[in-house]
Amino acid sequence: MAVTIGVPRETRPGEDRVAMSPEMAARLRKAGYEVLVERGAGESAYFPDAEFEAQGARLTGRDEALGADVVVTVSPPEDELQKLRPGAALVGFLQPLDRPELARALAERGVTAFAMELVPRITRAQKMDALSAMSTVAGYKAVLLAADALPKFFPLLTTAAGTIRPAQVLVLGAGVAGLQALATARRLGAVTSAYDVRAAAREQVESVGARFVELELDTGDAEDRGGYAKALAEDQQARQVELLARHVAKADVVISTALIPGRPAPVLITERGVEGMQSGSVIVDLAAANGGNCAVTRPDERVRHGGVQILGPTNLAASMPLHASQMYARTVAALLTEFTTDGAFTPGFDDEIVQGACVTHGGEVVHERVRDLVSG
Ligand code: NAD
């Protein structure tokens, strides 16, 4: 009998993505799996049941999808862990560093869990990089939200009613989301600039036509071995906020994306910083789910502070569910097929990708950082 991959419908409010696309269902079937899709699972992402069926997936009820050998999800089915089979595998955004208690529960259930956010960012795993895929969506959409909220044009316009100056868009944190935001803002005609603590970001910022903001701040060792930012010392962080305020004040739009893995987001714009901005300016704070880069941000709300609007969307990828699901499903399918032998999911625990992404196995929390959090 074929090994089954289950695709439950997502139940988290506002989560319109799904972890499987009809295209990936066909690929996984070809690899020897049977794909069980809960009826309606793809509907919110605009993948009708009939498309899954046409690609050889079987439509099922929820319990059957959750009872599969391998269950793929966006968010973990946290209230239904008892429906997962002991010994089954679960793949999804499991937030293990933020929610270690969930990792403990998965271990107790005997599930082998893989967190897509922990897939190491090595070349071989690029096709499984779900975080980058979702950051691409978020960076793009953040600019559209900003353009919609901004009471001004983005592009330079020369009209009979006079000349309109282009919007100044400043991006704080030039990782994957930040670079996509810069590219998108430029396509809409804005003048773009960006700041990042990692020195390596300068070249990437310039490659998308933006100016790199130079601060008199020595952040020489701000990058860890994985290419991520490290937290700045307290005095450096305070100095950074002070130096940035001048640039923030000149921007019509600030898109902030600065994150440090496993820590609250650094506050880069204080309340006073917001008050220094021109009336009509807009901040889109993509770090809202991690506490926010702006002190005024409230998650999933639009705050008006004086003449400035501050938006704190926490799940922008879900607001573009078709492409976000298509991209996410590809990364999940890439992880599964990388470790498929004769139609079965056979992750080798000496593999760097498995070691990086596997959170629980054999009744234990096996990921070191998560284990420290669980026992700490
Ligand atoms: P992220 O989402 O963790 O953080 C976003 C950005 O915020 C980062 O660029 C970070 O340097 C920056 N930041 C953190 N603290 C800051 C502060 N105080 N001030 C200003 N900026 C601050 O990052 P990400 O988008 O996931 O990317 C992190 C790195 O990983 C980047 O170098 C990226 O190019 C790299 N990356 C590599 C691969 C790969 O090799 N497969 C894939 C994706 C990303």
Side-chain angles (χ1 to χ4, degrees):
M1 236 170 61
V3 173
T4 53
I5 296 178
V7 188
R9 191 172 47 79
E10 296 293 321
T11 53
R12 205 178 119 195
E15 185 50 80
D16 286 342
R17 291 171 293 177
V18 59
M20 182 70 62
S21 60
E23 179 197 12
M24 288 304 109
R27 178 174 303 177
L28 289 163
R29 224 178 94 84
K30 219 175 264 169
Y33 293 100
E34 184 180 15
V35 181
L36 309 178
V37 178
E38 181 184 347
R39 275 181 205 88
E43 216 116 279
S44 56
Y46 299 90
F47 296 139
D49 284 350
E51 279 188 29
F52 280 113
E53 260 189 322
Q55 296 303 329
R58 184 155 68 78
L59 300 174
T60 66
R62 182 163 186 81
D63 289 0
E64 201 178 341
L66 284 168
D69 299 313
V70 181
V71 176
V72 296
T73 62
V74 179
S75 300
E78 49 189 305
D79 299 329
E80 296 165 289
L81 296 189
Q82 74 290 352
K83 291 184 180 166
L84 301 174
R85 274 196 309 93
L90 174 70
V91 180
F93 281 126
L94 307 180
Q95 298 176 273
L97 299 177
D98 299 320
R99 314 214 23 220
E101 76 289 350
L102 182 66
R104 195 208 305 254
L106 286 165
E108 278 167 10
R109 185 66 194 157
V111 167
T112 299
F114 292 87
M116 289 306 286
E117 53 272 78
L118 292 182
V119 168
R121 284 175 148 178
I122 55 174
T123 309
R124 185 165 66 91
Q126 252 173 22
K127 55 184 185 292
M128 309 167 208
D129 187 349
L131 277 187
S132 285
M134 297 305 100
S135 293
T136 300
V137 179
Y140 169 81
K141 196 68 193 273
V143 173
L144 301 189
L145 288 189
D148 186 40
L150 189 73
K152 303 180 180 181
F153 279 108
F154 260 42
L156 166 83
L157 291 183
T158 314
T159 77
T163 300
I164 303 280
R165 293 195 318 144
Q168 304 281 330
V169 174
L170 171 65
V171 168
L172 302 178
V176 180
L179 291 170
Q180 185 58 235
L182 287 170
T184 306
R186 191 168 146 90
R187 284 184 206 117
L188 284 176
V191 175
T192 50
S193 59
Y195 176 72
D196 198 297
V197 272
R198 293 178 300 106
R202 169 193 283 275
E203 205 183 304
Q204 291 160 353
V205 164
E206 289 173 351
S207 76
V208 291
R211 183 174 59 84
F212 190 76
V213 170
E214 199 65 67
L215 299 186
E216 274 175 43
L217 191 72
D218 180 14
T219 59
D221 61 348
E223 184 164 328
D224 72 10
R225 285 204 326 227
Y228 284 108
K230 291 196 285 193
L232 297 179
E234 221 169 280
D235 55 333
Q236 265 196 335
Q237 163 90 36
R239 178 94 182 112
Q240 183 191 23
V241 170
E242 192 186 314
L243 293 171
L244 271 178
R246 199 164 50 86
H247 299 275
V248 169
K250 280 194 261 174
D252 297 298
V253 169
V254 178
I255 311 250
S256 67
T257 79
L259 289 176
I260 295 148
R263 299 183 62 126
V267 174
L268 305 178
I269 309 171
T270 59
E271 199 171 326
R272 260 189 57 205
V274 175
E275 286 157 9
M277 294 178 81
Q278 308 159 59
S279 186
S281 302
V282 173
I283 298 174
V284 179
D285 189 348
L286 287 189
N290 299 69
N293 291 140
C294 172
V296 180
T297 301
R298 277 196 241 120
D300 287 320
E301 284 188 32
R302 180 184 297 219
V303 179
R304 181 142 175 192
H305 190 86
V308 180
Q309 298 177 76
I310 301 104
L311 282 61
T314 59
N315 193 5
L316 269 191
S319 72
M320 244 178 64
L322 196 152
H323 269 166
S325 301
Q326 181 179 308
M327 293 165 90
Y328 179 60
R330 281 185 189 157
T331 65
V332 168
L335 180 103
L336 296 183
T337 47
E338 179 84 8
F339 302 109
T340 296
T341 328
D342 299 330
F345 184 51
T346 51
F349 286 87
D350 49 359
D351 186 280
E352 195 181 353
I353 300 173
V354 175
Q355 280 175 3
C358 186
V359 181
T360 62
H361 180 61
E364 309 277 340
V365 175
V366 292
H367 194 280
E368 203 176 328
R369 277 176 74 194
V370 184
R371 200 169 45 214
D372 289 350
L373 291 171
V374 169
S375 57

